Amino acid sequence: MRVSSPSRLAVGLLATALGFALGMGSLDVATANHEISQHIKGSYPNVGYQGIAGLGYGGVRFSSDRCKPQEDNFVADFDAQLEGYLGGKPGQYGGAWPNGIRAVRDVASPCVTSSITSSTDFHWDFMTASEWAAAGHSAGYTGHSHSDIALSSWCAARNVSYPCGYHPTRIHINEPKYAAYTKAYKTQFFLHESAHGMGFRDYCGHDSVSNNGVLCVIGDGYLPLDRNMLRWQIYG
C-alpha cells in the first residue's frame, strides 16, 4: 500500500492507528524504536550476502523475470548511493569496499529475463494478481521479500564456512500495483526491497532505506545511517 506524500506527522498517526488495528507484529515493522535490533535483522553470516562479506571488491548479483525499465535506474542509484572511496567518497566504510557495493545483473546487460542461478543473490519475481493471491500475500502490499540461508554445499563451493549469508532472496512483486507507481517511486521501491536481503528490516524509527511506504513515507534509498549500519553492524 502506497502512502501518497503525507507529512511525517500524519504518517506517524496513521502508523499508530494501523498498529492497533492490524497488530504491529503481523506487519514486522518497527515504527518508533531506535534500537539497532529493530533496524536490522542481524549480522553476517546469518543475514546478507557472501559476495560483499569480505569487504573488498565485490557486489550483489540480481536477476529478473520481467526486465522492467526501472531496474536500470535502480542499478544506477544503488551504485551511486553505495559508492566507495575510490569513487570519490573519502572515509566511506572506513576503507572497506573501495569501489563501493555494486548491483550487477546475474545473466546479461542489458537485461535478459532469467531465473535464479547459483550466482544469484536476489531475484525480482513479478506476479500477476492471481499469482500474488495464491502466494498468500495481502492485496494491499506491493513487495514481499523471502530470504533463504544458503545451503552448506553452496558455501563449500565458494570455499567459505557455513553459514555464509543468504542464497537466494526472492522478492515477490505485485505487478498490477507496481505498474501504477510513478517512475521515481518504482526506483525507490526497488531500493527498499533490495535492502531486506542486505540485512535490513522494515523500519520507521529514522529516515532510512528501510522506510517502507506503508507505515512511513518510503525512503529515498541508502542514506548515511544505512551505510554505517552496513559497514559496522551487518558486515562489521
Side-chain angles (χ1 to χ4, degrees), residues 14 17 61 121 124 150 170 178 192 201 223 231:
L14 174 62
R61 304 183 69 88
D121 289 312
W124 305 125
R170 296 174 178 85
Y178 167 88
H192 170 78
R201 297 181 184 274
L223 302 177
R231 174 61 185 94

Side-chain angles (χ1 to χ4, degrees), residues 62-75 105 110-114 124-128 173-180 183 186-187 189-190:
F62 74 97
S63 56
S64 171
D65 65 359
R66 290 287 197 277
C67 291
K68 298 292 187 180
Q70 251 50 54
E71 292 176 27
D72 290 333
N73 290 18
F74 154 73
V75 170
R105 288 196 185 279
C111 182
V112 174
T113 56
S114 61
W124 305 125
D125 184 4
F126 287 87
M127 294 181 163
T128 63
I173 300 173
N174 184 347
E175 191 166 16
K177 284 190 67 65
Y178 167 88
K183 292 180 179 179
K186 288 173 181 175
T187 302
F189 167 79
F190 280 136

Side-chain angles (χ1 to χ4, degrees), residues 153-215:
S153 57
W154 191 88
C155 300
R158 284 150 183 79
N159 297 313
V160 294
S161 59
Y162 174 85
C164 65
Y166 294 144
H167 172 72
T169 294
R170 296 174 178 85
I171 301 168
H172 293 175
I173 300 173
N174 184 347
E175 191 166 16
K177 284 190 67 65
Y178 167 88
Y181 290 158
T182 65
K183 292 180 179 179
Y185 198 94
K186 288 173 181 175
T187 302
Q188 290 174 304
F189 167 79
F190 280 136
L191 289 164
H192 170 78
E193 291 299 332
S194 75
H196 289 310
M198 299 280 277
F200 291 93
R201 297 181 184 274
D202 281 326
Y203 174 77
C204 291
H206 297 92
D207 288 346
S208 168
V209 70
S210 296
N211 300 163
N212 73 344
V214 177
L215 296 183

Side-chain angles (χ1 to χ4, degrees), residues 25-83:
S26 65
L27 293 174
D28 192 27
V29 177
T31 56
N33 192 327
H34 291 203
E35 294 180 6
I36 292 174
S37 64
Q38 298 300 312
H39 192 177
I40 63 174
K41 298 178 182 180
S43 58
Y44 183 86
N46 297 308
V47 304
Y49 299 123
Q50 187 271 326
I52 57 176
L55 307 181
Y57 296 89
V60 293
R61 304 183 69 88
F62 74 97
S63 56
S64 171
D65 65 359
R66 290 287 197 277
C67 291
K68 298 292 187 180
Q70 251 50 54
E71 292 176 27
D72 290 333
N73 290 18
F74 154 73
V75 170
D77 283 9
F78 184 99
D79 289 358
Q81 292 171 5
L82 297 179
E83 182 62 85

Side-chain angles (χ1 to χ4, degrees), residues 112-136:
V112 174
T113 56
S114 61
S115 56
I116 294 168
T117 74
S118 62
S119 299
T120 305
D121 289 312
F122 64 91
H123 178 72
W124 305 125
D125 184 4
F126 287 87
M127 294 181 163
T128 63
S130 59
E131 290 171 333
W132 183 260

Side-chain angles (χ1 to χ4, degrees), residues 17-28:
L18 285 176
F20 283 115
L22 300 177
M24 296 306 299
S26 65
L27 293 174
D28 192 27

